[in-house]
Amino acid sequence: MTSDLDAVLRLVVATIVGLAIGFNRQITDKPIGMRTLALVALGAAVAALAAINFDGVASAPQPLARVIQGILEGVLAGIGFIGAGVVLHQPRAHTVYGLTTAAAVWVTAALGIACALAAWTVVVAGLVLALAILFGLDWLERRLLPRRSR
């Protein structure tokens, strides 16, 4: 089990990694940007931390770990279909819409898994980071980046 501070640090670093890659994609005018990739990295870290911090995994690693693994795989793969439904591609305009919404759906599913596994520090830190990404980076993008790359 990780300490609360370690769990929060892992979530913050995952978010920063997603931001860095997203910034590169955004300044090169790609359809996926900072908020989307920050949410994806955060969601993956939330789901993983919730699973590894679940009480009982250490004492019964084989059967319980397989159950948790199956839940994670099923929920996170399945939620991808919902996310895919909100992505719109307009080839003539060379634009893609809805990627951040799809990523928000995915990170919300990861937060739901963390709630079910009672990983409360992960839930709170993940929620705060997700909201900071959605609100704060939108504000930053509007001020720093040209309209066509948003």
Side-chain angles (χ1 to χ4, degrees):
M1 301 226 4
T2 58
S3 72
D4 288 349
L5 182 60
D6 185 48
V8 171
L9 180 63
R10 290 178 192 204
L11 293 174
V12 169
V13 171
T15 301
I16 291 169
V17 167
L19 279 170
I21 294 169
F23 181 71
N24 168 267
R25 305 313 315 156
Q26 197 145 353
I27 63 172
T28 57
D29 205 24
K30 301 298 180 191
I32 197 165
M34 292 187 304
R35 290 186 301 154
T36 304
L37 290 178
L39 286 170
V40 169
L42 173 62
V46 164
L49 275 173
I52 65 173
N53 286 328
F54 184 70
D55 289 337
V57 169
S59 62
Q62 293 302 330
L64 189 56
R66 282 195 300 269
V67 169
I68 292 172
Q69 178 184 5
I71 291 168
L72 288 170
E73 287 176 7
V75 170
L76 295 177
I79 205 69
F81 286 102
I82 294 172
V86 300
V87 175
L88 302 172
H89 180 237
Q90 295 181 344
R92 289 187 182 157
H94 300 291
T95 58
V96 178
Y97 295 98
L99 290 170
T100 302
T101 300
V105 168
W106 194 78
V107 80
T108 302
L111 286 167
I113 290 169
C115 288
L117 297 174
W120 303 121
T121 301
V122 173
V123 171
V124 171
L127 177 60
V128 168
L129 287 167
L131 292 175
I133 291 164
L134 290 169
F135 288 113
L137 289 181
D138 181 52
W139 178 86
L140 188 66
E141 285 175 348
R142 284 186 273 123
R143 277 150 187 78
L144 298 180
L145 298 171
R147 178 70 184 156
R148 73 184 218 339
S149 66
R150 290 196 302 123

